[in-house]
Amino acid sequence: MQPAKRAQDLPPLFFATLAKRIAALQAEGAKIIRLDAGSPDLPPDTRIIEALKHSADDPTKHNYGGYAGSPQLRQAIIDYYGQRFGVELDDSELVPLIGSKEGIANMHLAWLDPGDLSLIPDPCYPTYYFSPMLVGAQSERFDLLPERGWLPDFSAIPTETAKAARMMWLNYPNNPTGGTATLDFFAEAVDFCRQYDILLCHDAPYADVTYDGHRAPSILQVPEAKEVAIEFNSLSKTYSLAGWRAGMAVGNPIAVKALATIKTQVDSGLPKPIQDMAVDALVGDQSWLVPRNEIYLERRDLCLETIRTMGLETTTPKGGLYIWFQTPPGFTSMEFHTQLLEKAHVSVTPGDMYGDNGEGWMRISLVAPTDQLKVAMARMEEVMNKG
Ligand SMILES: Cc1ncc(COP(=O)(O)O)c(C=O)c1O
């Protein structure tokens, strides 16, 4: 029996391999502190879970949720974009998603033919890199560098590459670097993609996990952005609902329609109780996000302080769930990851899994209680001091 070449070529997902290693260490009695995946530990507002439970108790909600989602969910997405970003959407400009990851992968099926080119950041969320492989397309990287605040320099992309590209991915607040974007930067991105007729995919799952007063813009706030841009958004991080799988893609109606068409052949829509939950999350009271973000902020500052005390380079993220810092001299990312896991029982992510520019960097997820983070930082310092 032979699986398809694409299944054979796809390397195992780092987090899947890591889970096995952690399970083996735990079986030996190790108490591992998990600061690797970006799965929020803080709960959503109880009101949102009440909406989910209430809906799950309704016997009319067990059937298929419908490809387009309920009229209430569609309206909630329109209202959310209006209230949060001042962006007007009409009904042809949105598609509900079962979390944004499937939308990102399916967008490649909807937009790229075999051999087509996608431009992706280095470093980046790995799905932008693996999805082109699933459809026989290519990807080419452009640099995100600390000296540019983790924003790309579009003028550094060779003209021939830009002409060949069919899609481009951006993601702010950024995973893994913590970089944030301004509306002026998004305007530059829209101009670039308009010039070369590229579908601009902006991935914004961290739009409301922000600090120090940063208010993350939507790319659709750029006038005329919808001519070339589609934005992916998610309830996973903003509303701490990662396991309940809900998200949306909004913007360019041609891209939205293509994505929705592919999805009708791939899935059967969001479960109705999750749709009802999403309505409550998107248009209900948003004030609980403020104290929630203050907890992440406290964690962020705790980690930054330890990292800087250890003499390691880092930047202060104004958004997202991550600290991105340089490995100590003498270690590759993977070596330092292994050292921390095996000796300190602290699991952080090696930067090289986000691209070549991630080599020499590590990512800490701020998704463990503050007291555990303190223990993790102390163990990390100990490993560094002992070598
Ligand atoms: C940049 C980015 N995009 C998309 C996702 C996927 O989120 P979800 O599928 O839970 O909506 C993640 C998750 O870590 C992410 O970091």
Side-chain angles (χ1 to χ4, degrees):
M1 299 293 286
Q2 278 282 336
K5 195 167 170 311
R6 78 177 67 85
Q8 296 181 51
D9 287 351
L10 221 50
L13 189 71
F14 171 77
F15 286 120
T17 312
L18 178 64
K20 283 190 196 146
R21 181 64 198 128
I22 287 177
L25 286 167
Q26 284 168 333
E28 291 163 13
K31 300 262 178 292
I32 309 287
I33 301 179
R34 299 285 305 260
L35 308 177
D36 45 76
S39 186
D41 64 312
L42 296 170
D45 196 3
T46 44
R47 183 202 82 228
I48 298 169
I49 298 307
E50 284 310 317
L52 173 67
K53 285 189 201 161
H54 182 74
S55 183
D57 272 341
D58 178 345
T60 70
K61 302 272 178 164
H62 303 316
N63 52 0
Y64 289 121
Y67 300 111
S70 67
Q72 291 81 357
L73 176 59
R74 298 184 72 84
Q75 189 57 47
I77 292 171
I78 291 171
D79 292 345
Y80 169 73
Y81 260 80
Q83 285 159 18
R84 170 62 183 83
F85 300 110
V87 167
E88 266 184 46
L89 296 174
D90 74 37
D91 197 61
S92 67
E93 294 170 335
L94 66 100
V95 54
L97 301 174
I98 309 171
S100 58
K101 188 176 183 179
E102 66 89 350
I104 294 166
N106 282 320
M107 193 69 241
H108 291 76
L109 270 173
W111 208 256
L112 299 184
D113 286 314
D116 280 352
L117 179 66
S118 174
L119 298 179
I120 62 172
D122 186 359
C124 75
Y125 177 58
T127 302
Y128 316 149
Y129 174 71
F130 290 117
S131 298
M133 293 171 69
L134 293 179
V135 300
Q138 315 288 324
S139 59
E140 235 175 273
R141 303 269 196 174
F142 53 84
D143 291 332
L144 302 189
L145 300 170
E147 53 271 28
R148 288 187 56 87
W150 308 110
L151 299 173
D153 176 1
F154 295 116
S155 69
I157 298 175
T159 308
E160 285 314 306
T161 305
K163 280 185 182 162
R166 293 265 301 139
M167 78 189 332
M168 170 188 267
W169 287 87
L170 293 176
N171 154 230
Y172 293 97
N174 185 257
N175 173 16
T177 66
T180 47
T182 60
L183 210 46
D184 283 349
F185 167 76
F186 281 155
E188 235 186 273
V190 168
D191 276 353
F192 179 81
C193 288
R194 200 190 268 142
Q195 183 182 350
Y196 292 104
D197 200 18
I198 296 171
L199 178 68
L200 174 53
C201 301
H202 181 238
D203 185 20
Y206 302 96
D208 282 309
V209 185
T210 54
Y211 318 109
D212 304 334
H214 178 65
R215 190 101 173 119
S218 159
I219 204 157
L220 301 183
Q221 286 172 247
V222 176
E224 322 299 334
K226 284 183 210 161
E227 284 177 19
V228 290
I230 182 167
E231 185 159 86
F232 292 77
N233 213 323
S234 170
L235 278 70
S236 293
K237 323 285 179 172
T238 290
Y239 296 112
S240 300
L241 291 166
W244 294 108
R245 313 307 297 136
M248 70 208 81
V250 297
N252 181 278
I254 299 169
V256 162
K257 189 175 174 197
L259 175 57
T261 304
I262 292 291
K263 279 174 57 59
T264 58
Q265 300 298 340
V266 175
D267 66 68
S268 299
L270 286 91
K272 285 183 176 172
I274 293 185
Q275 296 190 42
D276 292 340
M277 170 204 82
V279 170
D280 207 84
L282 289 168
V283 294
D285 181 13
Q286 307 285 304
S287 60
W288 66 278
L289 300 180
V290 175
R292 195 278 314 269
N293 283 352
E294 275 165 12
I295 298 174
Y296 286 138
L297 177 68
E298 189 194 5
R299 296 174 179 181
R300 180 199 78 170
D301 289 344
L302 170 86
C303 290
L304 286 176
E305 199 188 321
T306 315
I307 287 162
R308 289 189 170 126
T309 307
M310 291 191 285
L312 302 176
E313 283 297 316
T314 183
T315 49
T316 302
K318 290 209 176 87
L321 283 172
Y322 312 108
I323 303 288
W324 184 240
F325 69 98
Q326 281 188 0
T327 48
F331 288 97
T332 64
S333 296
M334 190 50 88
E335 284 165 357
F336 194 53
H337 160 80
T338 307
Q339 182 96 344
L340 284 180
L341 183 60
E342 308 281 335
K343 294 204 177 156
H345 295 161
V346 174
S347 178
V348 303
T349 313
D352 59 331
M353 65 161 274
Y354 301 98
D356 290 349
N357 284 345
E359 179 49 59
W361 293 81
M362 310 296 294
R363 191 192 81 167
I364 290 178
S365 286
L366 301 171
V367 294
T370 311
D371 55 340
Q372 271 197 48
L373 265 177
K374 276 188 192 154
V375 174
M377 291 300 106
R379 287 191 199 166
M380 192 162 121
E381 251 185 309
E382 212 179 302
V383 163
M384 280 250 331
N385 292 337
K386 283 193 193 147

